[in-house]
Amino acid sequence: MKAFNSIANPLSSFFFVCILLLFANAAFGKTHYHDFVIQATPVKRLCKTHNTITVNGQFPGPTLEVNNGDTLVVNVVNKARYNVTIHWHGVRQMRTAWADGPEFVTQCPIRPGKSYTYRFTIQGQEGTLWWHAHSSWLRTTVYGALIIHPKEGESYPFVKPKRETPIMLGEWWDTNPIDVVRRATRTGAAPNVSDAYTINGQPGDLYKCSSKDTTIVHVDAGETNLLRVINAALNQQLFFTVANHKLTVVGADASYVKPFTTSVLMLGPGQTTDVLIKADQPPAKYYMAARAYASAQGAPFDNTTTTAILEYKTASCSSNCVKTNPVSPSLPAYNDTATATAFTTKFRSPRKVEVPTDIDENLFFTVGLGLNNCPKGARSRNCQGPNGTRFTASMNNVSFVLPSNFSLLQAHHQGIPGVFSTDFPAKPPVKFDYTGNVSRSLWQPIRGTKLYKLKYGARVQVVLQGTSIFTAENHPIHLHGYDFYIIAEGFGNFNPKRDTAKFNLVDPPLRNTASVPVKGWTVIRFVADNPGVWLMHCHLDVHIGWGLGMAFIVENGVSELESLEAPPVDLPVC
């Protein structure tokens, strides 16, 4: 009997270990390793070839696919001539703020010839996110999709689609985009608008030299597919539609939503929307199209339209479709705020959610543009904004200035003095008619690197109030390191006595980027449960460059699991 036991025990131990490993795998997910080489690559668009900054020679860059619970390890090697960082847009980065990516916020840039490895785990998120450069205007071409499938063995809360297709909406300049932003920074004027929009990197049939490379999405008649729509454009909110087809929205910013049907989407830069599309029309070719939602009155914008083709792969189509033009869609007018609002206000969480109710930090942030007077002694060629000024932007009258010798997170973690202050105002220094005619005395913000400190676990409400300084427009506001509930939005000046009654504390949507309506406001809530330094900024890159941003410091909690991890050994130095 003893002899038998001595054989059986090792065997049973072996099986026990195997079972433990299986459970561990299910609990902790897989680790995915990728190499990103940032490099200049010849890319031909609109008849011209440009030396374009890409990842691994691809434009758009690689699509990364993971499951909820998986870990990503991405080694970024910078072989380009510009500094670069990569931001994993919408990833919560729990305790891993060092991997978030915004230049001079959570890390110093990766210098030419250097490398940095981003390591982080996806926790509790499913759906569509994306990654992009967070350094100057490199994200014009350095971006790609990040798709998060449910954990292995789990399924979508909707019928499994036959196939899934990322639809990345972008912008293209027929010149070097870094030169465009540098010229604007030097002159103080607004940068030139883009020359084209793109779908999966291609402008489409309506632009010169572009038809033969138009993106084609194949479908079989009768099947239901999932389109993962991402607005990767630099400076423009976009309407998106598919001719003659309805779109059922099922997710946004890697959170599921209560399904609703629409014929048009509106996405601000940074936002993602997952839609089911049923191939229930006569077999043919149908245009997918995107063009600007331009809410700023009188401001120049790219008024072109990008197209892709939804093509039915059936016998009846293959012979006829070659000869026929795709069916054209109907798109809203460029300034159709009513359609944009009707869309954004339809979002709801699938069920009742735990919205923070007893608020510890009640914050009120004005967001908008401004104009700086020409500095004394400056040449007029450096003050080419309206009436000899320089464009600027601010939150609560502070125009955000990034440091250059240290990252904010490094300065916070190491206690380095003089890099930032923690006196970002909780409300505007002056109350005024935010969406009316604003006195010229309020047009000029102060410059500063001011942060707002939050205790770990604080329940936070932020009213984001648009302003009419210079011009009012819709601002896509993105918070790094967090998802937040959008509990209300409206037009005019936020009035707590009147507008609190509109708060949805039952099933508000969970997002990482909120569209603040033109001449309006949005209210968001979140719990500060992720320690680090987290940027909140307008995702129109022209605006963040002008200073439309701020950052929260979220302090460590009491335990190790409530504290920021130590910085990686290969963290770039300034």
Side-chain angles (χ1 to χ4, degrees):
M1 196 67 191
K2 270 183 186 169
F4 177 78
N5 275 344
S6 67
I7 296 168
N9 283 344
L11 274 175
S12 58
S13 301
F14 173 73
F15 286 125
F16 182 64
V17 168
C18 286
I19 286 164
L20 272 183
L21 283 171
L22 275 172
F23 275 115
N25 247 2
F28 300 113
K30 293 177 181 162
T31 301
H32 304 261
Y33 295 88
H34 296 275
D35 289 305
F36 275 16
V37 179
I38 313 291
Q39 62 191 48
T41 305
V43 175
K44 187 174 184 180
R45 296 290 184 276
L46 309 181
C47 319
K48 252 161 83 181
T49 300
H50 295 280
N51 244 356
T52 299
I53 307 301
T54 66
V55 171
N56 301 348
Q58 296 171 238
F59 170 62
T63 293
L64 304 185
E65 297 200 45
V66 299
N67 292 82
N68 180 2
D70 287 357
T71 296
L72 272 164
V73 179
V74 185
N75 181 42
V76 177
V77 179
N78 187 3
K79 291 191 176 176
R81 60 191 172 110
Y82 305 109
N83 294 335
V84 74
T85 64
I86 301 292
H87 169 52
W88 314 92
H89 187 108
V91 173
R92 284 292 318 267
Q93 296 290 1
M94 299 302 292
R95 303 177 55 233
T96 52
W98 306 105
D100 189 44
E103 184 178 67
F104 295 117
V105 178
T106 58
Q107 68 169 96
C108 297
I110 307 166
R111 305 286 180 190
K114 302 291 186 185
S115 65
Y116 176 48
T117 301
Y118 293 89
R119 296 174 175 84
F120 56 91
T121 300
I122 309 281
Q123 299 180 47
Q125 295 181 281
E126 291 178 15
T128 307
L129 295 176
W130 62 302
W131 56 265
H132 61 80
H134 212 297
S135 191
S136 185
W137 271 22
L138 283 184
R139 82 171 175 89
T140 315
T141 52
V142 178
Y143 63 82
L146 172 54
I147 293 169
I148 308 166
H149 298 287
K151 288 182 179 177
E152 281 191 26
E154 295 184 8
S155 56
Y156 297 125
F158 45 82
V159 176
K160 190 171 187 231
K162 278 282 158 52
R163 65 187 96 193
E164 305 179 8
T165 311
I167 301 289
M168 299 208 75
L169 311 177
E171 263 179 298
W172 179 263
W173 274 260
D174 200 14
T175 184
N176 181 354
I178 304 297
D179 292 343
V180 175
V181 67
R182 284 180 175 172
R183 193 178 311 117
T185 303
R186 194 172 60 249
T187 63
N192 290 346
V193 299
S194 55
D195 297 291
Y197 299 113
T198 57
I199 296 178
N200 293 352
Q202 294 295 342
D205 288 356
L206 307 183
Y207 298 90
K208 60 186 180 182
C209 307
S210 301
S211 286
K212 68 180 177 54
D213 296 310
T214 297
T215 298
I216 297 173
V217 177
H218 289 110
V219 292
D220 283 323
E223 72 183 17
T224 297
N225 293 335
L226 180 67
L227 302 182
R228 299 176 177 275
V229 188
I230 300 164
N231 186 352
L234 213 71
N235 291 321
Q236 192 61 63
Q237 289 89 347
L238 293 167
F239 287 121
F240 173 82
T241 192
V242 182
N244 291 15
H245 287 73
K246 289 275 190 237
L247 305 170
T248 301
V249 178
V250 292
D253 294 358
S255 289
Y256 296 118
V257 302
K258 199 169 282 177
F260 66 91
T261 301
T262 179
S263 57
V264 66
L265 314 179
M266 193 288 285
L267 297 92
Q271 292 184 321
T272 73
T273 308
D274 291 349
V275 297
L276 295 174
I277 180 167
K278 187 160 190 196
D280 56 3
Q281 295 301 302
K285 292 193 287 192
Y286 297 87
Y287 273 132
M288 301 173 159
R291 76 175 185 193
Y293 164 47
S295 59
Q297 208 173 342
F301 67 96
D302 177 351
N303 64 0
T304 63
T305 302
T306 179
T307 56
I309 295 169
L310 186 79
E311 185 172 324
Y312 282 64
K313 289 194 317 175
T314 53
S316 57
C317 184
S318 53
S319 50
N320 302 331
C321 293
V322 178
K323 307 174 193 118
T324 57
N325 289 327
V327 178
S328 288
S330 153
L331 276 156
Y334 298 116
N335 63 350
D336 191 345
T337 292
T339 293
T341 307
F343 177 71
T344 57
T345 52
K346 272 185 186 156
F347 285 84
R348 297 282 184 275
S349 282
R351 60 194 66 81
K352 190 178 188 313
V353 289
E354 293 293 316
V355 187
T357 47
D358 298 325
I359 299 302
D360 303 305
E361 297 276 1
N362 203 342
L363 308 174
F364 188 101
F365 292 174
T366 54
V367 298
L369 303 188
L371 297 174
N372 274 336
N373 295 331
C374 200
K376 273 191 180 138
R379 298 181 174 187
S380 58
R381 69 183 185 206
N382 296 330
C383 299
Q384 291 182 25
N387 305 318
T389 60
R390 291 178 60 84
F391 270 111
T392 183
S394 66
M395 284 188 173
N396 278 358
N397 206 45
V398 179
S399 190
F400 192 60
V401 179
L402 287 170
S404 54
N405 296 331
F406 302 97
S407 74
L408 295 171
L409 185 61
Q410 183 187 4
H412 162 60
H413 185 68
Q414 296 176 4
I416 300 166
V419 179
F420 63 82
S421 60
T422 55
D423 56 346
F424 185 86
K427 58 182 192 296
V430 179
K431 265 182 105 168
F432 58 97
D433 179 4
Y434 308 112
T435 53
N437 290 322
V438 182
S439 159
R440 284 293 174 108
S441 64
L442 294 165
W443 282 37
Q444 187 152 337
I446 59 163
R447 285 165 57 80
T449 310
K450 297 173 183 283
L451 278 58
Y452 193 91
K453 200 173 261 193
L454 295 171
K455 282 198 162 32
Y456 184 89
R459 293 155 297 191
V460 185
Q461 174 174 296
V462 188
V463 176
L464 296 163
Q465 172 69 61
T467 66
S468 291
I469 295 175
F470 186 68
T471 185
E473 65 182 294
N474 182 299
H475 294 280
I477 303 295
H478 172 48
L479 175 58
H480 288 233
Y482 285 88
D483 288 327
F484 48 74
Y485 289 111
I486 300 178
I487 60 170
E489 65 171 71
F491 291 99
N493 298 330
F494 177 76
N495 179 334
K497 287 186 182 140
R498 179 192 66 221
D499 294 327
T500 306
K502 299 173 187 166
F503 286 3
N504 174 8
L505 302 178
V506 178
D507 59 354
L510 195 62
R511 303 295 301 256
N512 64 53
T513 306
S515 290
V516 177
V518 56
K519 288 194 178 183
W521 50 267
T522 295
V523 184
I524 67 170
R525 286 187 184 179
F526 63 96
V527 176
D529 60 357
N530 192 10
V533 175
W534 303 108
L535 186 63
M536 183 161 84
H537 65 100
C538 181
H539 219 274
L540 304 174
D541 269 31
V542 58
H543 290 178
I544 178 66
W546 288 341
L548 213 173
M550 57 81 64
F552 289 108
I553 292 179
V554 179
E555 296 176 326
N556 284 337
V558 289
S559 70
E560 189 187 348
L561 290 176
E562 295 177 350
S563 303
L564 179 67
E565 289 182 1
V569 290
D570 64 337
L571 188 72
V573 291
C574 289

